[in-house]
Amino acid sequence: MTPQTTHTNASAQRQLVIIGNGMVGHHAAMSFLDACQGKADWAIHIVGEETYSAYDRVHLSDYFQGKTHADLALGTGDEYREHGIHTHLGVAARRIDRDAKTVALADDTVLPYDALILATGSYPFVPPIPGHNLPSCLVYRTLDDLDAIRNAASDGSVGVVIGGGLLGLEAANALKSLGLDTHVIEFAPQLMPVQLDADAGTLLRDKIQALGVQVHVSTATQSITADEQGRTVLAFADADPLVCDVVVFSAGIRPQDALARDAGLTLGERGGVTINNQCQTSDPAIYAVGEVALWNNAIFGLVAPGYRMAETAAAHLAGTDASFTGADMSTKLKLLGVDVGSIGDAHARSAGAVTYRYSNERSGVYRKLVTSADGSRLLGAILVGDNSLYDTLLQYYLNDITLPKEPDSLILPSSEGVPQLGVDALPDTATLCSCLNVTKGDVVGAIDGGCCSLGEVKAETRASSGCGGCAAMLTHVVNATLEARGVEVDHSLCEHFHYTRQELFHLVQVGQIKTFDALVREHGQGLGCDICKPTVASILASCWNEGVLEPAHVNLQDTNDTFLANMQKDGTYSVVPRIAGGEITADKLIVIGEVAKEYDLYTKITGGQRVDLFGAQLHQLPEIWTRLIDAGFETGQAYGKSVRTVKSCVGSTWCRYGQQDSVGMAILLENRYKGLRAPHKLKFAVSGCTRECAEAQSKDIGVIATEHGWNLYVCGNGGMKPRHADLFATDLDDVTLIKTIDRLLMFYIKTADRLQRTARWMENLEGGLDYLKDVILNDSLHLNIELEQQMARIVESYQCEWKAVLDDPEKLKRFRTFVNSDSADSNVVFVKEREQIRPARDDEKARLIATT
Amino acid sequence: MTANAQTPSQAHASITSPWVQVCKVNDLVPGSGVAALVLGQQIALFYLPDEQGLSASKRVYALANQDPASGANVMARGILGDIRGEAVVAAPLYKHHFSLETGRCLEDDHWQVTVWPARIVDGKVEIEWV
């Protein structure tokens, strides 16, 4: 092929060159393709200095949690090729020749352009402290930077971040996740001085210090030197020196505008390429977008405004009307696990601004509102420790919605939970999803256009497909709009059954239905799915208590139920034998130890007072369980939506304060309800006295000994949304206690929704706790005899699922890693940490496989 | 054409696309999946025997056993079902759905797993090694 033939199309096509393949450069290319709607009269070239194609820099720290470039990538090479985009990666643009309209690259390629988009972004500012260029001094911006940090950290123990702003705290999180003893040095008297006030900064510092990161504010670094041991020493003006192994600078960003400067484009006084509302620079053929662009004398250091600029430039280039008119810089994030939110004029700098504050040191929550002088408009806000109000406050701010008469009612704790902004109060222009720029008007429009469910609205508008932070607000708007139009909101379990779990339970019981196939034939449609199959399996188990591995049920179960073990992230399983009440003999402990040693399993004590053994492959499970069952163990059912453990304290047998034998009661309860399948897992505890060492009030069923018997607490839980259990009945004798629990559990199993824990179930019952007491204690529905009988049947028919498997060669056949080979899964690779195995990370795996 | 008359084109087809015997039908679990190792490649085999009107080649499906979301070889241990009429497996760790016919991920276009044509011949499961 001659060079001429490769260029035959070039003259017919116009050339768009995008310099910069970061998030915004990538978005510019994609937006331009969208804006052109497939008209092929443009060729697109994208130039990136990094060897990696565009990736999600917002989630950069995930790289240290095991994510790879492929996980973070925004588009693949194939995708670019598919769209006809030519990529030049790992090569910097060297010079723009505006007269010849060409861009010269470092590899001597010369790209002609008709239009050029600069998306070169920014670079981290490194203050000129003496020693700032030592090898241990790094920045936090690219994947290559992260590799450098990881290398430097590999034989070190202490890491320092210079800069306590938003990015500095992200970097601190990354250092901490590498296992370094982490310090943050901030010159200002507080953290995040741009977004937070002094009180919020102090609270954030306390919370971050509690998480093990040491924060030094009002601290100026004077010099950085290397000592004889090769470690790095930071010297400060008014504090002792700090010895460390890695220093990460995060002291702000500067626009990467050198190319534009050399090309003679107009820049701002402190850098940044000046753009107009169409994102054009002083040369109309050249656009600038993202952190290199200066609009109205401001640089926008967030990704969302960069995206809006990219869309504006793309639309303008494609001949559509579009303007960039500034962007909201409000932010909501989780820093080192701490919620932080900042909206608008957080510092109350507007004339006449009025401030309201709520601060709770016990729960570590700070909220501040800044309103107009008359209190009617929200000008700004700060949240630390809890972001649940953020979405509502942001809507007030962005849409200029009139505040309630007492604005502080929005930030004061209330028993009704978070005040929801009425859907009617939102104007059509209100942005619900800021990632994809979807407004309330777009959502209502989609419903006008025929969408009848949340799923359809999401598919139509793409709302909530970015960060997902708007999901609650979106659901609220969709449901309220549908209900206002008289559309019945669909509560179907899934597309195969137009019933709730409770309705299906009733159909199964009344119709004496014993299999999924029969139920789907009579009351559903299709093949089923991963939602309805396990739900129906659980209902069938609760009603008829047939083994979950019977042939008719085996294909309904989640993998954990199928293989009677808990699948971990690498596809191996963990094994948990039952240790009722947490009581175990020395002989049994020795057997667990021997099994763990023989199969080289990672061993961990669980919160439920038993031992979890990790790292078993599928084909090893039957051998392991043969050993355990021979020693007298039973399955602990840690894999099931079923009764897990009954935790206990040692009780009156040993403890000088004990009122009753709490261990004995715990073992009785655990053996009674083991194997019981429920809509969600169930946890119990029994405490021997009111000191409550077993933490019974955080369980679904909590029992606390009194002088005269037992107090019963119900519907508590730990987990994501902890709830204290409610006192249900007092001073019960053993028999009444068990009868009461029988009824309550059976009533829960029959009426709760899929994956609904006892707490939510009770809250959703009309009449709540009082109604439940009426049903269970006063038999107001005349159900109690039936409930007790049903429980008795389940208790009688208990069988250890693992024993049943080992006794049945047909069932054992499933426990093979491969049906046609005795090999193990070669992709399961472990490394040692603290003298035990753990799954190797991708990079470790690559190294290990390469060397074997 | 008689049974043993082999035209050149058929001979050619059998060389470029060999059918590889993997296991017995008895090794499959109706309505569920198992994993197999073929030429060093991990393959998930799914069996839907009860569907009416489907030919033998439509009742067994072969997909790559590696779940792109987790990187773990667990696809065979997912639940089978259908989403809007398309037969799918739900990968067990993060629950993405993959089409049994095409290997397409219903939630994320980036993820596509390899599929091999599969069939049952004389009680044996075979896949076409392409």
Side-chain angles (χ1 to χ4, degrees), chain A residues 4 103 146 187 195 218 280 306 419 437 466 588 767 797 827 841:
Chain A
Q4 282 83 352
V103 178
L146 264 65
F187 180 70
Q195 294 91 352
S218 303
Q280 288 166 299
N437 214 6
K588 282 191 166 177
S797 57
N827 192 36
R841 293 190 301 263

Side-chain angles (χ1 to χ4, degrees), chain A residues 62-213:
Chain A
D62 291 357
Y63 191 61
F64 287 155
Q65 322 283 347
K67 290 276 177 79
T68 62
H69 168 253
D71 297 323
L72 296 172
L74 299 175
T76 59
D78 285 345
E79 217 175 351
Y80 279 142
R81 261 196 299 285
E82 206 174 289
H83 293 303
I85 300 175
H86 309 273
T87 49
H88 308 264
L89 297 183
V91 43
R94 218 176 41 198
R95 208 175 86 83
I96 301 169
D97 183 337
R98 287 167 53 200
D99 298 325
K101 284 197 156 182
T102 57
V103 178
L105 307 186
D107 64 0
D108 294 331
T109 311
V110 174
L111 298 173
Y113 69 80
D114 296 286
L116 179 64
I117 298 180
L118 290 173
T120 47
S122 61
Y123 62 90
F125 170 63
V126 177
I129 300 167
H132 66 85
N133 45 11
L134 285 174
S136 58
C137 292
L138 303 166
V139 294
Y140 181 82
R141 174 86 187 163
T142 65
L143 289 177
D144 287 340
D145 294 339
L146 264 65
D147 283 335
I149 292 173
R150 179 143 61 195
N151 274 338
S154 61
D155 352 284
S157 57
V158 181
V160 173
V161 177
I162 296 186
L166 197 157
L167 286 170
L169 296 177
E170 293 270 5
N173 188 30
L175 292 187
K176 186 163 171 278
S177 71
L178 287 173
L180 295 182
D181 190 2
T182 303
H183 296 256
V184 174
I185 313 287
E186 169 59 49
F187 180 70
Q190 66 162 95
L191 292 175
M192 292 182 71
V194 178
Q195 294 91 352
L196 302 183
D197 63 13
D199 287 346
T202 305
L203 176 60
L204 179 62
R205 186 187 70 194
D206 291 349
K207 294 186 93 117
I208 287 175
Q209 298 216 120
L211 293 165
V213 172

